[in-house]
Amino acid sequence: MRPLLLGVLGCSLLLSVRAFYSPDDDVVELTPSNFNKEVIQSDALWLVEFYAPWCGHCRNLVPDWKKAAAALKGIVKVGAVDADQHKSLGGQYGVRGFPTIKIFGANKNKPEEYQGGRSSQAIVDGALSALRSLVKERLSGGSSGSGYNKQQQSGSGGSKKDVVELTDDNFDQMVLESGEVWMVEFFAPWCGHCKNLEPEWTAAATAVKEQTKGKVRLGAVDATVHQVVSSRYGIRGFPTIKIFRKGEEPEDYQGGRTRADIIERALDLFSDNAPAPELLEILNEEVVKKTCEDSQLCVIAVLPHILDTGATGRNGYLEVMMKMADKYKKKMWGWLWAEAGAQLELEASLGIGGFGYPAMAAINTRKMKYALLKGSFSETGIHDFLRELSVGRGSTATFGGGAMPNIQSVDAWDGKDGQLPEEEEYDLSDVDMDEDFDKDEL
């Protein structure tokens, strides 16, 4: 009885951890199977929370999210996605931290990020503000409630022009000789499964093109017409999907056929083939602004002065950072470094001075929050630090009183050892020490 009781308790505890919302709440649980019907094809404005069950901030948000959902009932739809369980949905909408709240308004395919407070009142205020904007846009003759543009009237949630039509004539040049990764569907016009796949493939093509900046492309081959290329790859059933990387044998796609499944696989392909993010020296305000504003998290290191480490020591620190940038490249974070003393206002805003050098901070410029590396400046220490942040743990503080500090313009490091400043030499040969020396002054 005891093992059985423990097993039942274990299951109950697990369910209580994962089940943030119940059918009795006014929060709609969203999954890849119902998201398109409930949200994308809906005329209503939606607030959707993407959460992870292990995230402390997500647990803290639950009562306010429920309260806001109850207050907005019949006015604005409120939903929640367990993005830890349904990674494909989180990936589809660029979710990289928890909780993330998105507003699905006029254009359901391009939701806005909710930037307001996390109290129930702030959430309700944000929802009503978004609703007013939606109504105003409709009054002015803007988008209809469905949010689809003229190229999306089929309800696919994407544009057919983003699916590249591939033929016997253009396949080699477009696919095999390109530097992009390709997912290619071989179809037959009479195939029922192909017709069912078409709207999912179209929607995925648009999302993948945007999220990978064209580095992963989706194409389609009518195998009944273009039989040369179809025969080359042994296509005998429809639809067949293959993955093409330059210089490699094609790989059969074995995943699901929903847009979320396709997008998730495409983003994995993008991450696997993407180079590590560039590690930049902070030379001016523009470098910081561009790197940090384009990234959810900006990792900044302050390295010892070149006179303290020499070129070899500095390069050692930079090598550690580059390895970590490569390890976390799927996060698409920004990576920066500065020499100690070169950006004093930045150091003061981060409270770095008390920890010595090298030091590291991770900044979320959207929330103006930062966290400091307390462990060692090593692969292990930095990995532990970033892993905690990536799962919503770690201690954070408000960055610079809520505003970015001034960034000084400095010259780039030339890659060499530092040079001590030359001391000015004085010629004392003409000075008569005996005449100028007054013994009475002693």
Side-chain angles (χ1 to χ4, degrees):
M1 289 294 292
R2 189 182 184 109
L4 178 61
L5 178 61
L6 288 173
V8 172
L9 285 172
C11 290
S12 299
L13 287 171
L14 180 60
L15 287 172
S16 67
V17 168
R18 297 200 72 92
F20 276 9
Y21 306 102
S22 72
D24 295 331
D25 298 319
D26 295 303
V27 178
V28 180
E29 279 280 5
L30 297 167
T31 68
S33 62
N34 71 358
F35 195 91
N36 187 56
K37 181 180 178 182
E38 292 283 351
V39 180
I40 302 301
Q41 295 180 8
S42 167
D43 286 336
L45 180 104
W46 276 82
L47 256 66
V48 179
E49 173 206 4
F50 294 82
Y51 71 90
W54 40 256
C55 162
H57 294 301
C58 302
R59 284 194 292 272
N60 293 337
L61 179 62
V62 169
D64 285 291
W65 197 246
K66 289 181 179 180
K67 191 174 179 181
L72 293 166
K73 187 174 182 179
I75 304 169
V76 172
K77 303 284 283 185
V78 178
V81 175
D82 181 346
D84 188 52
Q85 181 179 2
H86 305 298
K87 294 183 174 63
S88 58
L89 271 180
Q92 181 175 347
Y93 294 106
V95 175
R96 297 187 179 88
F98 305 113
T100 291
I101 300 172
K102 301 269 185 181
I103 302 172
F104 290 79
N107 187 345
K108 292 292 201 310
N109 301 296
K110 290 186 178 180
E112 300 175 17
E113 187 126 349
Y114 171 75
Q115 303 282 9
R118 300 301 170 93
S119 68
S120 57
Q121 184 62 58
I123 294 166
V124 169
D125 290 342
L128 294 179
S129 176
L131 186 60
R132 283 192 294 270
S133 297
L134 176 60
V135 172
K136 185 177 179 181
E137 184 173 348
R138 289 179 182 177
L139 282 172
S140 64
S143 299
S144 66
S146 67
Y148 296 113
N149 60 34
K150 291 181 180 179
Q151 295 174 322
Q152 298 167 342
Q153 290 299 320
S154 66
S156 70
S159 172
K160 288 186 177 182
K161 68 179 182 180
D162 292 324
V163 178
V164 181
E165 183 180 353
L166 298 169
T167 68
D168 286 336
D169 294 330
N170 70 7
F171 191 91
D172 287 5
Q173 181 181 2
M174 294 288 293
V175 178
L176 303 184
E177 297 172 12
S178 77
E180 291 83 25
V181 177
W182 282 81
M183 298 178 72
V184 178
E185 174 204 3
F186 293 83
F187 70 94
W190 44 257
C191 161
H193 292 302
C194 302
K195 292 177 182 176
N196 292 336
L197 176 62
E198 182 180 2
E200 303 300 308
W201 195 250
T202 301
T206 299
V208 169
K209 182 180 178 181
E210 291 176 355
Q211 294 185 44
T212 69
K213 295 181 172 59
K215 296 299 183 182
V216 179
R217 303 298 304 275
L218 269 63
V221 176
D222 183 342
T224 63
V225 175
H226 305 289
Q227 297 181 7
V228 174
V229 69
S230 301
S231 175
R232 184 197 306 174
Y233 296 110
I235 306 302
R236 293 183 175 83
F238 307 111
T240 293
I241 300 173
K242 288 186 176 286
I243 297 168
F244 292 84
R245 300 181 183 89
K246 188 173 184 179
E248 298 183 19
E249 288 296 314
E251 168 191 342
D252 288 330
Y253 170 75
Q254 304 286 4
R257 300 298 173 92
T258 68
R259 67 192 69 188
D261 293 324
I262 297 163
I263 291 167
E264 182 177 26
R265 183 68 178 109
L267 293 178
D268 283 341
L269 290 168
F270 172 67
S271 299
D272 292 341
N273 290 272
E278 194 174 3
L279 175 57
L280 300 173
E281 183 180 3
I282 299 177
L283 302 177
N284 50 53
E285 185 177 358
E286 185 64 26
V287 172
V288 176
K289 185 176 180 181
K290 187 176 188 310
T291 304
C292 293
E293 286 187 355
D294 289 348
S295 309
Q296 187 209 16
L297 210 61
C298 208
V299 182
I300 298 178
V302 180
L303 304 181
H305 196 280
I306 191 64
L307 292 176
D308 295 328
T309 63
T312 300
R314 175 168 291 181
N315 283 325
Y317 291 131
L318 294 176
E319 184 179 352
V320 169
M321 287 191 71
M322 287 188 285
K323 286 182 179 179
M324 289 297 99
D326 185 60
K327 188 177 187 71
Y328 284 89
K329 66 181 180 180
K330 289 186 179 182
K331 302 289 186 181
M332 290 184 273
W333 293 338
W335 293 77
L336 298 169
W337 70 276
E339 181 178 78
Q343 302 295 341
L344 290 175
E345 289 191 42
L346 177 63
E347 291 186 40
S349 296
L350 298 171
I352 279 179
F355 292 92
Y357 306 106
M360 176 176 284
I363 304 172
N364 184 325
T365 56
R366 177 168 52 86
K367 298 180 179 178
M368 293 309 289
K369 296 286 187 180
Y370 75 93
L372 284 177
L373 169 69
K374 301 293 180 63
S376 63
F377 196 98
S378 63
E379 290 182 42
T380 301
I382 296 173
H383 171 60
D384 290 343
F385 168 60
L386 296 177
R387 182 181 58 192
E388 290 291 297
L389 289 178
S390 65
V391 297
R393 303 189 190 119
S395 176
T396 62
T398 301
F399 175 50
M404 287 292 291
N406 290 325
I407 301 298
Q408 301 299 316
S409 295
V410 298
D411 293 331
W413 177 46
D414 60 8
K416 300 177 182 178
D417 289 326
Q419 299 292 327
L420 287 168
E422 293 185 8
E423 296 184 3
E424 189 173 350
E425 296 183 359
Y426 296 95
D427 184 3
L428 302 178
S429 60
D430 294 334
V431 178
D432 189 338
M433 299 299 291
D434 291 335
E435 290 181 2
D436 295 340
F437 185 69
D438 188 347
K439 292 180 181 180
D440 292 337
E441 292 180 359
L442 294 177

